[in-house]
Amino acid sequence: MQWSFGWEDQFLLFLQNQVRSPWLDALMGAVTRLGDAGILAICACILLLCIPSLRNTGVMAAQSLAMDVILVNGILKTLVNRVRPYVAVEGLIPIARLPADASFPSGHTGASFAVASVIYLCMPKKIGIPVLLLAALIGFSRLYLGVHYPTDVLAGAVIGLCTGWFAVWMGKRREQRKIAGVSENKD
């Protein structure tokens, strides 16, 4: 499916023609590689799972990531099947490895926000805010490199935030049930 809002095409061309520079090309390439195959998100989940005091946060982050991958890569990319902007926008030159899958929504962004939102909701803000900013930077890198439309990145962020919130909500309910079960057993 080939569709975009005119402002999206113009924004991507603006980034290409007015913002790109050799040092930013290198930086954005490195930032986007953090999201390749969800590697940073997966590593964050594993790290959290390995620290006993953060294991519950790790479980919620892994659940959020799994939900995000199913929604973004398993369902929406196939269902919407949006053509990548470098195919549809005349004059747009991508400066990254060309993804073979559909454009909508951004998997890099979704996975990053899926884990970052759990970290933000469950950990001190001095950790959560920088992690959310890194997720936003990964999303921006996808625009900068010319491989996603802005609405792809926005949808990925929203889906990741929603799966993160839902995973934390489920985790809190599990904890409440566990506490309620323990108090019932004491009576």
Side-chain angles (χ1 to χ4, degrees):
M1 181 181 297
Q2 185 172 330
W3 57 274
S4 70
F5 302 100
W7 67 268
E8 292 186 286
D9 300 358
Q10 295 305 312
F11 182 72
L12 293 174
L13 290 170
F14 168 78
L15 289 176
Q16 173 181 285
N17 299 328
Q18 305 299 320
V19 179
R20 282 186 186 171
S21 69
W23 73 272
L24 271 176
D25 293 356
L27 176 65
M28 290 297 131
V31 167
T32 214
R33 282 189 293 281
L34 294 173
D36 285 354
I39 191 68
L40 184 63
I42 293 167
C43 288
C45 290
I46 291 169
L47 177 64
L48 292 168
L49 288 166
C50 288
I51 301 170
S53 63
L54 299 176
R55 191 162 290 138
N56 194 39
T57 300
V59 168
M60 291 183 284
Q63 289 172 330
S64 177
L65 181 59
M67 287 185 284
D68 178 81
V69 169
I70 291 167
L71 284 169
V72 170
N73 296 78
I75 298 172
L76 291 173
K77 278 189 182 277
T78 304
L79 194 63
V80 176
N81 198 28
R82 187 181 198 186
V83 173
R84 294 278 178 169
Y86 55 81
V87 173
V89 178
E90 188 175 327
L92 183 63
I93 302 165
I95 54 173
R97 180 183 54 79
L98 302 182
D101 61 349
S103 189
F104 183 90
S106 168
H108 280 68
T109 308
S112 299
F113 273 94
V115 173
S117 60
V118 171
I119 291 170
Y120 177 80
L121 292 168
C122 296
M123 296 182 72
K125 298 306 176 237
K126 66 182 179 183
I127 296 169
I129 290 172
V131 170
L132 273 178
L133 291 174
L134 179 58
L137 189 59
I138 289 171
F140 177 76
S141 75
R142 306 305 286 164
L143 302 173
Y144 181 90
L145 298 171
V147 294
H148 275 293
Y149 290 101
T151 49
D152 299 341
V153 169
L154 179 62
V158 168
I159 293 166
L161 290 168
C162 289
T163 62
W165 176 84
F166 186 66
V168 170
W169 178 78
M170 287 187 340
K172 288 181 179 179
R173 285 191 50 130
R174 256 190 325 272
E175 194 61 33
Q176 289 169 347
R177 285 190 196 125
K178 187 188 289 184
I179 291 168
V182 168
S183 66
E184 286 177 10
N185 290 337
K186 286 183 180 181
D187 293 340

